[in-house]
């Protein structure tokens, strides 16, 4: 059983930065893809970024490209989402998710590809 715990959310003014953390137990190496999703008020859940294991290849949705960065810390079984130049439209509940089994070693931002989810951490950006 894989468990994910997010932290690092909070409130920030537009233009500010936050770093979210996702700790995976028992080990990051149980996963093949780690992704971040978000769900704003009244919106559907949106996949915004992923990193594969062990090659650490990343992909970002257009909505966050150039502003958000995933980084690894395998010794801590963690993935971080560094968020910069935050905008009010980034306000959402942010979730990390893990895929254990993937097809053709390809990660995606499809929700259905991810078997394990964290509890979420709230990010609020004020103008």
């Amino acid at each position: 059983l894989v468990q994910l715990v997010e932290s690092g959310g909070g409130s920030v003014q537009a233009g500010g930065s936050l770093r979210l953390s996702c700790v995976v137990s028992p080990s990051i190496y149980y996963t093949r893809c780690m992704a971040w999703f978000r769900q704003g008020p009244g919106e559907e859940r949106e996949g915004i970024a992923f990193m594969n294991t062990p090659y650490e290849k990343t992909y970002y949705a257009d909505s966050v490209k150039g502003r958000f960065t995933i980084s690894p810390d395998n010794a801590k079984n963690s993935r971080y989402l560094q968020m910069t130049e935050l905008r009010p439209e980034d306000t959402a509940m942010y979730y990390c998710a893990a895929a254990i089994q993937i097809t053709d070693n390809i990660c995606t931002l499809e929700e259905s590809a991810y078997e394990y989810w964290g509890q979420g951490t709230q990010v609020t950006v004020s103008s």
Side-chain angles (χ1 to χ4, degrees):
L1 180 64
V2 174
Q3 293 185 317
L4 310 176
V5 178
E6 303 105 329
S7 62
S11 297
V12 64
Q13 291 190 328
S17 300
L18 283 173
R19 190 179 80 157
L20 306 184
S21 299
C22 179
V23 179
V24 182
S25 61
S27 171
I28 193 71
Y29 293 106
Y30 278 53
T31 71
R32 291 295 173 264
C33 307
M34 290 290 300
W36 288 93
F37 290 77
R38 68 184 182 184
Q39 187 168 20
E43 298 179 358
E44 295 185 353
R45 192 175 294 183
E46 172 193 19
I48 57 173
F50 69 68
M51 172 178 280
N52 70 358
T53 305
Y55 304 108
E56 300 178 358
K57 180 179 179 180
T58 57
Y59 175 86
Y60 300 93
D62 288 344
S63 57
V64 304
K65 192 176 297 181
R67 300 187 298 124
F68 291 11
T69 304
I70 291 182
S71 61
D73 187 338
N74 295 331
K76 294 183 178 180
N77 292 311
S78 295
R79 294 290 182 263
Y80 304 106
L81 184 68
Q82 180 68 49
M83 306 186 294
T84 64
E85 302 176 35
L86 283 162
R87 307 165 180 167
E89 55 263 41
D90 294 318
T91 294
M93 184 71 79
Y94 283 71
Y95 301 88
C96 65
I100 307 303
Q101 297 180 350
I102 58 174
T103 302
D104 297 329
N105 289 319
I106 297 174
C107 296
T108 73
L109 287 178
E110 294 292 329
E111 282 190 58
S112 59
Y114 293 85
E115 301 99 324
Y116 298 97
W117 293 77
Q119 80 286 357
T121 186
Q122 178 68 39
V123 172
T124 302
V125 185
S126 58
S127 57

